[in-house]
Amino acid sequence: MLFKTLINHPADWMQGTGPHSEIVMTSRVRLARNLRGFPFPGYSQEHQRHDLLKLARPCVDALPEMKDGYSEDYAKLSKIRKQVLVERHLVSREHAARANGCAVVVDRKQNLSIMINEEDHFRIQGIRPGLNLRSAWQLVDKVDSELEAALPYAYDEKFGYLTACPTNLGTGMRASVMLHLPALALTDQINPVIKAVGKIGLAVRGLYGEGTEALGNLFQISNQHTLGEKESEIISQIEKVIERVISSERNARQKLVEDNPTMLSDQVGRAFAVLRYAHILTSKEALNLLSMLRLGADLDLVPNCDRSLLDMLLLEIQPAHLQLRAARELTPDERDVRRAEITRARLQSLSGPSNVSNNQPPPEAPSSDSTDE
Amino acid sequence: MKCDVCESEATVFLTQIINGQMTTVNLCDVCSKAKGVTDETGFGLAEAFLSQPAPSAESAASSCEACGFTAAQLKKIGRMGCPECYSAFRDGLDGLLKAMHKGTRHVGKTPRTITTEGHLRGSVSQLREELAHAVRDERYEDAAHLKSEIERLLEKPLESNP
């Protein structure tokens, strides 16, 4: 598959579907795996990374799941293309920063990606829409077993799967869920929630993982412990926590609708107005406003606004996606103009948001039923 | 969150394991680059180590035979050089692992090719430990599950590779 084909096809997880999709964007599970007899990528020399790649990549390419997939050597990928893969969560930022002796293989539906020579020899990642960690785990578990049959894994009876960093030792599994929590943020309840989640040994991060800011009220929650617990136990624990966070967000949304309908309508209305008519949009502003518009769509305040339209737009306006489209590097100022251009075009078909409460007709038009549309 | 150095908004959150102690540092974009935390060149770390002169007598005494990685390097960067390092530096790892994880023994997925008697014994003793915990916490349903799991394993000691 060509890079262009990959990028032109929206992945399953971008359709805005799946369990609890009004709050949970995606569920991801990644496994760290290494081969015996090779130093870890961070302590290897270039020729050793090439040797591993020569051995490993044909096995990954030959996986039945990767039939008609996308497979590329990093030496042949431009910086912008790598960054596009990061923005799509198919490779990590760390992996994209590397060049020689690395490769990525992605399945046709973009549910599965395998990074070769990241911090570990393999990072196998499954991604599903909504809250669906089990399905993501089943996918990577199956692929992992297939790879294991073809390659000599580094495994220790006591320590389990051996990884470059001891923080990944054991299962080598990181399960993470991407949440959209605008109501908790609007009602200043987000920090206590983050603290509570952190206390029980889960990590909370921003949109693009470790060390990134929580833009657009998007948060990733993932496990930190990988040793001493079974994969299914780790997943159950995260699911329990996520369900609690989901219900907090639901309550906060309900409370906003009941107690602060005017503020809510104002936020959603302003978000729509700026996104629909602005000519310069920074990434931060766009993400935060899209978050409000998505909240409005979830609460049926924006007629005919499909979540998948907003989720696709969220990707399209990322820096590398803009530059890929322009087929050249863009300065931040140029990006802000193009971001606004695309946003205006995508939102053209939408009619403006309605008011939250139907029993508050506009003062000068008491007979108007327009709020019911 | 504020940068630990200059009070601007922190964007890089670095967790390091130094001498078995986990420390977290919050830095802004500028300070992280100044301190060389953001690893823009990727493999810089390895190349830097490999270009170093021969290790001192002290660190050579405790190094991995397979890849030459030293205990001093492990302390410094908190990562291993190769899978064999886990054997070379086995002693003293438990303390480090306890601080990071729920346990010090793997209980999850096992590669089919490695279902050996040794691993089986390991998993039975782990299960017995879990059983004791379950009884202590009065989780009798879990205890019953664990008990039957142990019995099942002991009945068929060497049946692997289904």
Side-chain angles (χ1 to χ4, degrees):
Chain A
M1 188 198 265
L2 297 169
F3 185 83
K4 211 175 135 192
T5 322
L6 178 85
I7 292 310
N8 287 340
H9 283 80
D12 268 8
W13 57 267
M14 295 169 202
Q15 315 285 335
T17 56
H20 304 296
S21 58
E22 79 285 11
I23 294 172
V24 183
M25 318 257 306
T26 58
S27 298
R28 283 187 290 158
V29 174
R30 75 111 168 98
L31 299 176
R33 295 292 188 256
N34 289 281
L35 298 186
R36 278 201 306 269
F38 289 90
F40 294 127
Y43 189 64
S44 64
Q45 289 175 298
E46 200 176 316
H47 70 91
Q48 292 170 311
R49 295 196 286 276
H50 280 295
D51 287 348
L52 182 121
L53 197 58
K54 237 182 259 166
L55 171 73
R57 194 170 153 206
C59 297
V60 175
D61 286 341
L63 288 167
E65 286 78 7
M66 292 300 188
K67 192 169 179 283
D68 300 324
Y70 170 74
S71 171
E72 193 61 277
D73 193 311
Y74 268 20
K76 293 181 189 149
L77 262 184
S78 71
K79 208 173 135 192
I80 289 178
R81 286 188 168 196
K82 280 196 271 186
Q83 214 47 48
V84 166
L85 296 176
V86 174
E87 289 172 0
R88 296 209 160 202
H89 299 284
L90 293 170
V91 309
S92 64
R93 286 189 311 159
E94 293 76 9
H95 199 227
R98 301 180 164 185
N100 290 328
C102 299
V104 60
V105 185
V106 180
D107 82 318
R108 214 167 51 85
K109 292 182 169 170
Q110 300 177 51
N111 292 330
L112 176 73
S113 73
I114 299 183
M115 289 173 258
I116 307 177
N117 279 329
E118 208 249 23
E119 179 182 287
D120 296 292
H121 295 145
F122 296 104
R123 289 283 174 98
I124 308 167
Q125 181 194 252
I127 182 164
R128 303 295 304 145
L131 182 58
N132 213 341
L133 285 172
R134 300 221 169 241
S135 145
W137 157 245
Q138 279 159 8
L139 175 62
V140 293
D141 181 29
K142 179 162 179 282
V143 169
D144 175 50
S145 298
E146 284 160 2
L147 267 188
E148 165 214 308
L151 294 162
Y153 271 1
Y155 180 86
D156 180 274
E157 248 176 51
K158 180 172 190 285
F159 296 138
Y161 292 95
L162 300 176
T163 53
C165 186
T167 51
N168 293 316
L169 199 60
T171 58
M173 184 183 82
R174 185 86 63 227
S176 71
V177 176
M178 178 84 74
L179 296 156
H180 181 228
L181 306 174
L184 286 174
L186 275 179
T187 52
D188 285 329
Q189 296 177 74
I190 196 75
N191 286 330
V193 169
I194 289 176
K195 267 194 190 142
V197 170
K199 264 191 193 146
I200 43 177
L202 298 181
V204 186
R205 302 191 170 97
L207 179 56
Y208 285 105
E210 211 157 340
T212 61
E213 220 181 325
L215 285 170
N217 301 316
L218 291 167
F219 298 87
Q220 278 186 65
I221 294 184
S222 61
N223 63 303
Q224 282 185 305
H225 307 304
T226 54
L227 186 64
E229 282 174 295
K230 283 187 189 148
E231 291 85 351
S232 57
E233 293 168 345
I234 296 173
I235 288 174
S236 299
Q237 196 210 1
I238 298 181
E239 278 173 343
K240 266 189 212 153
V241 171
I242 297 298
E243 272 158 22
R244 293 232 303 269
V245 177
I246 290 174
S247 83
S248 303
E249 169 69 18
R250 282 225 176 97
N251 291 340
R253 289 183 184 189
Q254 191 56 38
K255 239 176 123 42
L256 275 178
V257 171
E258 285 165 11
D259 300 350
N260 270 319
T262 310
M263 186 266 265
L264 183 61
S265 296
D266 183 61
Q267 292 280 340
V268 175
R270 278 165 187 272
F272 179 80
V274 173
L275 291 170
R276 177 68 187 81
Y277 297 108
H279 281 250
I280 298 171
L281 271 178
T282 66
S283 188
K284 192 172 177 173
E285 185 181 18
L287 257 62
N288 289 333
L289 293 174
L290 272 176
S291 167
M292 283 304 117
L293 196 56
R294 196 181 199 268
L295 175 66
D298 289 341
L299 295 173
D300 291 325
L301 302 177
V302 191
N304 306 321
C305 183
D306 191 11
R307 262 199 302 271
S308 66
L309 171 91
L310 301 180
D311 292 350
M312 278 302 290
L313 182 58
L314 187 76
L315 271 182
E316 279 184 286
I317 58 168
Q318 300 284 335
H321 274 78
L322 291 173
Q323 298 183 78
L324 185 76
R325 198 188 176 94
R328 65 179 175 90
E329 278 199 38
L330 300 171
T331 65
D333 287 350
E334 288 176 317
R335 293 206 293 263
D336 292 350
V337 172
R338 281 176 189 250
R339 182 174 295 116
E341 212 173 273
I342 292 175
T343 307
R344 287 199 310 274
R346 292 288 177 272
L347 298 186
Q348 204 168 24
S349 60
L350 294 185
S351 38
S354 52
N355 290 333
V356 176
S357 171
N358 293 333
N359 53 24
Q360 287 182 327
E364 269 154 276
S367 62
S368 166
D369 272 335
S370 63
T371 50
D372 280 328
E373 267 169 38
Chain B
M1 207 171 285
K2 293 238 155 66
C3 172
D4 290 344
V5 181
C6 73
E7 297 268 293
S8 320
E9 189 66 13
T11 54
V12 175
F13 309 96
L14 178 74
T15 307
Q16 274 183 312
I17 291 120
I18 301 163
N19 298 334
Q21 290 284 322
M22 198 138 82
T23 59
T24 307
V25 185
N26 310 315
L27 297 167
C28 69
D29 225 25
V30 178
C31 293
S32 73
K33 278 193 188 115
K35 304 246 171 233
V37 171
T38 322
D39 188 10
E40 302 220 316
T41 50
F43 295 106
L45 207 54
E47 252 83 40
F49 275 120
L50 292 171
S51 60
Q52 272 178 0
S56 70
E58 184 208 24
S59 57
S62 51
S63 63
C64 170
E65 275 181 32
C67 73
F69 200 69
T70 66
Q73 283 170 306
L74 172 61
K75 267 187 184 169
K76 194 167 174 186
I77 65 170
R79 285 180 173 76
M80 298 288 187
C82 77
E84 287 300 313
C85 288
Y86 281 96
S87 304
F89 306 119
R90 207 171 190 93
D91 299 334
L93 261 186
D94 275 10
L96 179 80
L97 295 175
K98 245 182 216 158
M100 286 177 194
H101 296 291
K102 281 270 165 77
T104 56
R105 174 172 280 280
H106 175 59
V107 292
K109 182 176 178 176
T110 309
R112 282 189 182 187
T113 41
I114 304 179
T115 314
T116 60
E117 200 185 350
H119 186 79
L120 182 70
R121 262 203 304 274
S123 59
V124 168
S125 71
Q126 177 74 36
L127 286 172
R128 284 200 171 117
E129 222 174 275
E130 280 180 41
L131 175 62
H133 279 289
V135 172
R136 195 194 58 199
D137 301 344
E138 299 183 352
R139 287 182 285 116
Y140 297 115
E141 206 172 308
D142 290 349
H145 272 296
L146 289 163
K147 203 160 168 256
S148 62
E149 179 74 355
I150 293 170
E151 277 162 9
R152 193 183 60 80
L153 284 171
L154 291 177
E155 263 168 34
K156 312 180 201 167
L158 274 174
E159 197 179 300
S160 60
N161 296 323

